[in-house]
Amino acid sequence: MDILTISSVNLLLGLSFFLSLFLYSKNSTELKHFRIFSLAGLCLALNSLIGIVNNIVTLPIYLMPALANAATVGLHCIVLLGVLTLCKLHLRVIWFAIPVLLSFSLSFFEPFKTEMAMRLIANYLLIMMLNALSFKALQSVNKSTIAFTVFKAVLIFNVLQLFSRGLLYVLFELEISQLAQHLIVHQFGWFAFTIYCSGLLASCLLLLVESQQKELERKANTDPLTGLLNRNDLNSILNKEISRCIRQGEAITVMMLDVDFFKRINDTYGHSTGDVALQHIAELLRQHFRNYDLLFRIGGEEFLACLPNVDAPQARCKLEQLRQTFLQQPVKAQEEIPITVSMGWVSTRQKLDGALLLKRADEALYQAKKLGRNKVLEAEAL
């Protein structure tokens, strides 16, 4: 396959890379890394376009090789920036301009200006360094999903093929071997670049699929009105958290909450106001508990909280404070609507089934309502 054909394929690949990732992620703040990755497609398209035009007419040095090489290095800088964003790691964007400017400027100074081998060796070193940093970032998050595995394999492939070709150019400069000048080696370089970029696109598409699967799982387990977890997989989630706490020698508290006389709110103010009240309750729960506590809406006006590393004395204090919070912060709708809540809870350090803890907390909640509501009642210790 000649270089013009490979460049044309890379141009189409780059545009597909950009459009597929950018259009999918343009309206989402959580998919910022895909928008960054999409820019790599533009760099690939620019590099390929310069290669196609240069195959027809001779371009000035600032376009070929200067801008073409800078676009290639820029592609790998963008991949690194996307990986860092994906892994929630941070590096100032200004640092990514340094290798791009360095690659661009090399073409104007000797010996890089006149010796292609020296220019390629320098750019290969820059790219291998960027790929190594990307690989290290992916390793640091310790994820073994298919997308991460493929991504790391693509980076390893690129480093190995660049190292092999770079070694041939070093041997050429040392006048040990002339193999680097062979047309097949040059064509292989373009072809390997195509394989690498195709692998990047495949990795990004796999990341998209995994992201969509996670979003579907999140929606399946989330109450759409309040944003809290729903009762799907409640027992499974609870049992996992109990096992984790017991393994680490921590207590765990399970609390069930019911809004007192909630039907009156619906009957008096309407169901839309009832929805506002439920959202208000969910927000107060989020504010009161820690970001790693598990909060569920398990029924119409029933909520559940799973509090890891919270023992009985801590729970007693924390839940009484919560009851007072509801008294002090009425629902704000057409008018301020006071609400009270009843709570039943249980705390344990034993490895018990989640269903048993739910049953005991529910029994305590029933007693709290039976005793007049607006109460926090502890189940018998387990």
Side-chain angles (χ1 to χ4, degrees):
M1 188 180 290
D2 61 80
I3 293 174
L4 181 60
T5 304
I6 297 175
S7 297
S8 301
V9 170
N10 285 349
L11 176 61
L12 293 175
L13 178 62
L15 293 175
S16 301
F17 199 132
F18 170 72
L19 291 172
S20 60
L21 297 182
F22 182 79
L23 292 176
Y24 178 82
S25 61
K26 65 176 182 177
N27 295 322
S28 173
T29 56
E30 295 180 0
L31 300 177
K32 181 181 177 182
H33 51 282
F34 288 118
R35 288 197 296 278
I36 294 172
F37 284 136
S38 73
L39 298 178
L42 288 182
C43 289
L44 174 59
L46 175 61
N47 174 278
S48 304
L49 183 61
I50 293 172
I52 292 169
V53 175
N54 191 65
N55 207 269
I56 301 170
V57 296
T58 302
L59 293 174
I61 189 173
Y62 62 84
L63 291 178
M64 186 68 176
L67 185 58
N69 288 341
T72 304
V73 172
L75 182 153
H76 294 85
C77 286
I78 288 169
V79 169
L80 174 57
L81 179 59
V83 167
L84 292 175
T85 306
L86 170 66
C87 299
K88 295 180 171 55
L89 302 172
H90 302 285
L91 185 66
R92 292 182 65 182
V93 176
I94 189 66
W95 291 108
F96 294 92
I98 295 174
V100 176
L101 292 174
L102 180 59
S103 175
F104 182 83
S105 61
L106 284 176
S107 300
F108 300 96
F109 299 97
E110 295 294 350
F112 308 102
K113 182 177 180 180
T114 54
E115 294 189 34
M116 184 184 73
M118 292 294 292
R119 196 164 57 241
L120 290 175
I121 290 169
N123 280 288
Y124 290 172
L125 288 173
L126 284 173
I127 293 169
M128 286 191 288
M129 178 192 70
L130 293 167
N131 283 173
L133 291 173
S134 297
F135 184 88
K136 185 177 180 181
L138 291 172
Q139 283 284 83
S140 69
V141 296
N142 198 27
K143 286 187 178 180
S144 57
T145 65
I146 294 175
F148 271 67
T149 303
V150 171
F151 211 135
K152 287 185 280 189
V154 169
L155 292 171
I156 291 171
F157 163 79
N158 201 47
V159 169
L160 289 177
Q161 68 92 9
L162 287 173
F163 178 80
S164 301
R165 290 166 57 209
L167 183 59
L168 290 178
Y169 284 113
V170 170
L171 293 175
F172 173 76
E173 285 295 312
L174 295 174
E175 298 182 352
I176 296 173
S177 169
Q178 299 297 312
L179 188 59
Q181 294 296 93
H182 201 288
L183 180 61
I184 292 177
V185 173
H186 197 46
Q187 288 178 332
F188 172 77
W190 281 87
F191 188 60
F193 187 46
T194 304
I195 294 174
Y196 169 70
C197 292
S198 299
L200 285 180
L201 179 57
S203 301
C204 290
L205 292 177
L206 286 171
L207 285 171
L208 277 176
V209 171
E210 290 179 359
S211 174
Q212 289 175 330
Q213 287 176 337
K214 286 182 182 178
E215 182 63 16
L216 289 173
E217 289 173 5
R218 187 192 67 80
K219 287 181 178 179
N221 292 315
T222 301
D223 172 53
L225 179 63
T226 62
L228 303 182
L229 295 168
N230 59 28
R231 66 181 309 124
N232 290 348
D233 292 331
L234 171 60
N235 285 330
S236 174
I237 295 171
L238 198 54
N239 283 324
K240 285 179 183 177
E241 196 62 23
I242 292 168
S243 296
R244 188 193 65 79
C245 287
I246 300 307
R247 250 190 343 265
Q248 297 179 3
E250 300 173 354
I252 186 168
T253 295
V254 174
M255 178 274 291
M256 293 186 72
L257 176 151
D258 187 85
V259 184
D260 297 332
F261 304 111
F262 181 74
K263 189 174 181 298
R264 291 181 186 175
I265 296 177
N266 280 334
D267 292 345
T268 305
Y269 301 98
H271 287 279
S272 59
T273 301
D275 289 346
V276 171
L278 292 172
Q279 291 169 335
H280 172 74
I281 292 159
E283 184 57 32
L284 290 183
L285 289 173
R286 271 190 286 264
Q287 291 175 9
H288 187 75
F289 292 116
R290 303 161 297 184
N291 59 5
Y292 55 86
D293 291 328
L294 299 173
L295 304 175
F296 300 80
R297 180 187 174 202
I298 58 174
E301 68 272 20
E302 285 191 327
F303 296 83
L304 182 141
C306 175
L307 313 175
N309 199 23
V310 172
D311 59 20
Q314 292 170 321
R316 199 171 292 118
C317 177
K318 187 180 285 283
L319 297 179
E320 177 56 30
Q321 288 174 350
L322 178 62
R323 187 187 69 82
Q324 294 288 340
T325 298
F326 280 109
L327 283 173
Q328 296 162 9
Q329 298 192 38
V331 176
K332 294 180 180 178
Q334 301 99 318
E335 59 182 82
E336 288 194 347
I337 306 170
I339 57 169
T340 62
V341 297
S342 300
M343 287 177 268
W345 61 276
V346 61
S347 184
T348 185
R349 289 182 179 272
Q350 299 180 44
K351 187 169 176 30
L352 300 173
D353 184 68
L356 176 60
L357 293 184
L358 291 175
K359 182 173 181 293
R360 300 301 293 274
D362 190 41
E363 289 171 350
L365 172 61
Y366 176 78
Q367 289 298 320
K369 293 166 70 176
K370 190 176 179 180
L371 292 171
R373 294 182 169 83
N374 190 25
K375 296 184 183 302
V376 180
L377 200 64
E378 178 182 0
E380 194 173 312
L382 294 172

